[in-house]
Amino acid sequence: MAFYYTEPSHTFNEYLLIPRYSSKEHSPQNVSLRTPLVRMKNGEEPQFTLNIPLVSAIMQSVSNDKTAIALAKEGGLSFIFGSQAIEKQAEMVSAVKNYKAGFVESDSNILPRQTLQDILDLKIKTGHTTVAVTEDGSAHGKLLGVVTGRDYRPSRMDRSLLVSEFMTPISKLTVGKEGISLAEANDLIWEYKLNSLPIVNEKGELVAFVFRKDYESKKENPNELLDEKKRYIVGAGINTRDYKERVPALIEAGADILCIDSSDGFSEWQKETIQFVKKQYNGRVPVGAGNIVDKDGFDFLADAGADFIKVGIGGGSICITRETKGIGRGQATALIEVAKARNEYYERTGVYIPICSDGGIVYDHHITLALAMGADFCMLGRYFARFDESPTNKVLVNGTYMKEYWGEGSSRARNWQRYDSGGDAKLAFEEGVDSYVPYAGPLHDNVQESMHKVKATMCNCGTLTIPELQKHAKLTLVSSASITEGGAHDVILKDIHANRT
Ligand code: IMP
C-alpha cells in the first residue's frame, strides 16, 4: 500500500515566530549572519562560509555575472545559470573572477550614427545614464565620446538628432590609461570633478569605466565575499548530462563551487555527477545537490557526497510543477523534516551538511522563518530578478516598471536538462511560466533592508547568530483567520505599495 503522511504539509505563511527574552545586547548591530556554505567535520571550519544567508537562483533571468558581483559585494553568492553554452557560462564565471572592484565594463554602448531616441531607450533598458559612444557600438570598441544626462535635454531637442552631434567627444574627455590603479583613477575623478572616468588602452579602445559612486560604495561593503586572492567568490550551476565537459571548463574559468540544478535530486544521475566531481578534483571542488523534500532524499545525497543540499519542490514563484505533475511538498514542512534529518546525520557521523531552502520566499520574514526552521541559507529567484543587476529587460507595463522573470522549466528557458529524466527527451511539457516582477531598484539597497529585518527579528527571538536561531526559535502554526489578522485590516490604506517584500 502507498505511504501516507498523516499531517498536511505547510508553507511559510502558516508559521510565525514567538519572541523570546532579549537583553540589551540583542540589537541588530551585534547580529552575525555568517553561515556555513559547505559540509564540515565536527570542530573544523567549512571550506566556504557566506556572510549573509542568501544565494541567487540558478536561472537565466536571475544569475549572470552582474548579479554575482553585486551579491558577492553584500556577502552572498550567485550560481551562474547553466542553461547556456558551456563557453558562455565559463565567460560569465571568469568575468566575476577577473572583476576589478571599481573598474566596470560599460553596459550602455552606442554607435555615433544612432539617435537621441536610442539613448533614451537604452537608459530605460539598462537604468544607467552614462553611455559610451564607440566605433562599433560595443563595450570595448574605439572610444569616440561619452553621453551623460548633461549632454541633452529631451524636451528641447529633436529625438532624431545623431549621437555624434551632441556627445562629449573624446578630445574633451579626461580619460585614464589602462593599468591605472583605482586610487589614481579616483584622484583624477576628484581633481577634474568627474562622475565617471573612461579607461582606454593604447589603441584608444574602451576598457572600463570608474564611477565616483562605486568608489564611495566600496567603503560600504564590509561583508564582501572574497577568495584568498581578494577576488569575488562565484558558484556555477551544472546538470547531470554534460558535466564531464562543463565542469572542467567552469573550474578552469575559476568557479569556486558548483551546484547541480535539477527539479528532482533523489536520483542516480545526481550521485554519478557528484562522484565525478569528487574524483576528478580529489574532493577539493565542493558541489551542492538537490532538490529534495524529505529525509530519504537528504540521506541519499548526503551519502553520495553532496556538500550542501537544496530543499524545495514546487514552491517557486514561477513554478507549476505541482499543477502539472502532482509532485512537491509545502516548503515549511519539507524544511523542518530535512533539518531534523541533517541534525541526525550530524549526530551519527560528525559531519554537518548545510541545507538551502530553495524557492517560495515572498516576504523578508520568510527568510527568517526558513533559518529558524533549520535552513543554513536560502536560494531566491523572484527576489533577485527585480533588481537592476538581473539579466533581464526592464519594461514599462501599464505605467509601472517591471523586470521579466521566467522559470527554467518554461519553454522560453529551453532548459531541457533540468527536467528530462534520462535519455535525450526534449521538454515535453512546461513546468514554469514566463512572467513580470515589479522593478525594485539596486540589489544593494534591497539586500541591506532585508538583512536588517532578519537581524531585527533575530533579536526579538533573543538570538545573535543563525545557529542560535536554529536552536532556540519558537514557532507556531497559525489558523487562516489569524493570517488575515496579520495584515493591516479594518482600515482604509492611504498608500498601497505595489512591492511589499
Ligand atoms: P522563487 O524564489 O520563488 O522565484 O523560486 C526560485 C526557484 O524556483 C529556483 O531556485 C528553482 O529551484 C525553482 N525553479 C526555477 N525555474 C523553475 C521552473 O520553471 N519550474 C519550477 N521550479 C523552478
Side-chain angles (χ1 to χ4, degrees):
M1 195 183 142
F3 172 79
Y4 288 88
Y5 281 96
T6 48
E7 294 293 325
S9 65
H10 296 284
T11 67
F12 291 133
N13 260 348
E14 295 169 88
Y15 280 91
L16 288 176
L17 284 154
I18 309 272
R20 297 184 71 117
Y21 170 73
S22 44
S23 69
K24 287 185 197 156
E25 193 201 341
H26 290 108
S27 75
Q29 70 269 22
N30 292 338
V31 173
S32 160
L33 294 177
R34 268 172 74 79
T35 189
L37 177 59
V38 293
R39 64 164 64 209
M40 55 184 172
K41 286 214 180 81
N42 209 350
E44 287 177 10
E45 277 292 302
Q47 188 185 352
F48 290 101
T49 304
L50 293 168
N51 291 332
I52 58 167
L54 300 186
V55 300
S56 69
I58 313 169
M59 297 174 71
Q60 293 172 3
S61 46
V62 179
S63 296
N64 63 353
D65 45 336
K66 289 207 173 63
T67 302
I69 291 166
L71 184 52
K73 277 185 188 167
E74 302 303 317
L77 178 84
S78 289
F79 288 93
I80 304 284
F81 67 93
S83 52
Q84 59 178 326
I86 294 174
E87 312 75 61
K88 292 264 172 240
Q89 191 187 12
E91 269 172 31
M92 286 191 182
V93 168
S94 53
V96 180
K97 294 314 281 187
N98 295 329
Y99 177 80
K100 290 205 186 67
F103 291 85
V104 183
E105 180 174 292
S106 172
D107 76 347
S108 301
N109 308 293
I110 210 156
L111 293 160
R113 62 172 184 277
Q114 286 184 265
T115 63
L116 174 58
Q117 185 60 51
D118 293 326
I119 293 271
L120 298 174
D121 292 345
L122 196 58
K123 188 177 155 202
I124 291 177
K125 197 168 151 208
T126 64
H128 296 141
T129 48
T130 303
V131 180
V133 186
T134 57
E135 208 166 60
D136 61 1
S138 79
H140 298 295
K142 189 163 192 297
L143 185 67
L144 304 177
V146 166
V147 174
T148 69
R150 292 186 199 166
D151 294 307
Y152 56 85
R153 290 175 82 184
S155 55
R156 298 276 178 92
M157 284 160 62
D158 186 341
R159 306 267 168 126
S160 62
L161 199 64
L162 295 182
V163 167
S164 56
E165 292 176 41
F166 63 90
M167 68 184 188
T168 303
I170 184 87
S171 56
K172 294 200 179 143
L173 285 173
T174 306
V175 296
K177 288 270 164 339
E178 190 177 26
I180 188 172
S181 73
L182 189 57
E184 289 163 344
N186 279 291
D187 287 346
L188 287 178
I189 285 177
W190 280 96
E191 192 180 335
Y192 294 97
K193 299 188 178 13
L194 309 171
N195 281 326
S196 66
L197 178 75
I199 310 294
V200 294
N201 64 18
E202 280 180 352
K203 294 187 204 148
E205 292 159 341
L206 181 62
V207 176
F209 275 106
V210 175
F211 293 97
R212 174 188 290 257
K213 67 177 170 39
D214 282 356
Y215 184 65
E216 281 158 6
S217 82
K218 199 169 146 47
K219 289 184 255 162
E220 288 170 21
N221 294 318
N223 274 335
E224 288 183 318
L225 201 65
L226 300 169
D227 65 16
E228 70 288 350
K229 293 187 189 151
K230 301 261 180 266
R231 300 172 307 179
Y232 288 124
I233 290 180
V234 64
I238 59 171
N239 64 67
T240 56
R241 294 284 168 271
D242 63 12
Y243 57 87
K244 289 187 183 152
E245 295 84 49
R246 191 173 291 270
V247 171
L250 294 171
I251 299 303
E252 174 71 27
D256 296 285
I257 177 162
L258 306 171
C259 182
I260 308 173
D261 180 32
S262 165
S263 62
D264 172 14
F266 197 175
S267 78
E268 193 177 354
W269 305 105
Q270 293 235 342
K271 186 174 172 180
E272 272 183 17
T273 308
I274 295 168
Q275 289 177 348
F276 169 83
V277 177
K278 292 285 148 198
K279 186 153 174 256
Q280 199 73 4
Y281 300 97
N282 293 324
R284 284 194 312 276
V285 173
V287 54
N291 288 8
I292 49 88
V293 285
D294 69 354
K295 172 179 163 53
D296 294 344
F298 174 87
D299 285 341
F300 172 80
L301 289 177
D303 288 340
D307 288 287
F308 66 87
I309 294 176
K310 283 205 291 138
V311 183
I313 296 179
S317 56
I318 32 46
C319 175
I320 51 170
T321 297
R322 293 185 194 166
E323 281 173 33
T324 50
K325 286 165 87 183
I327 61 162
R329 198 172 190 195
Q331 184 66 5
T333 304
L335 206 48
I336 293 165
E337 181 177 312
V338 174
K340 188 161 173 274
R342 187 262 326 272
N343 295 346
E344 287 164 5
Y345 192 89
Y346 178 55
E347 292 290 312
R348 209 166 58 241
T349 63
V351 177
Y352 184 90
I353 302 176
I355 56 175
C356 167
S357 177
D358 178 16
I361 299 285
V362 180
Y363 299 105
D364 288 330
H365 77 266
H366 289 170
I367 299 171
T368 326
L369 281 172
L371 299 171
M373 287 169 183
D376 296 282
F377 55 98
C378 300
M379 177 173 272
L380 302 91
R382 188 196 62 86
Y383 177 86
F384 288 111
R386 300 171 305 146
F387 304 151
D388 283 324
E389 294 80 356
S390 84
T392 71
N393 291 324
K394 181 173 147 200
V395 287
L396 201 53
V397 181
N398 299 333
T400 307
Y401 281 115
M402 300 278 178
K403 293 274 288 190
E404 294 180 300
Y405 179 42
W406 60 91
E408 289 296 296
S410 67
S411 56
R412 177 166 183 182
R414 307 179 70 80
N415 184 358
W416 321 128
Q417 293 92 340
R418 188 172 198 269
Y419 294 91
D420 80 49
S421 47
D424 292 324
K426 292 279 174 261
L427 191 69
F429 51 88
E430 289 186 295
E431 288 191 41
V433 296
D434 191 355
S435 68
Y436 294 119
V437 286
Y439 164 68
L443 181 145
H444 170 78
D445 298 357
N446 286 276
V447 167
Q448 289 284 319
E449 185 180 328
S450 301
M451 292 303 98
H452 194 81
K453 286 193 212 162
V454 170
K455 287 179 177 177
T457 313
M458 285 172 65
C459 291
N460 297 133
C461 295
T463 57
L464 291 174
T465 66
I466 291 172
E468 272 176 35
L469 180 72
Q470 290 168 336
K471 211 163 163 192
H472 301 300
K474 264 171 90 176
L475 291 131
T476 179
L477 259 174
V478 291
S479 68
S480 49
S482 67
I483 293 174
T484 314
E485 186 190 55
H489 60 92
D490 302 304
V491 292
I492 296 160
L493 292 181
K494 287 188 183 166
D495 178 20
I496 299 178
H497 295 284
N499 167 20
R500 296 188 59 200
T501 305

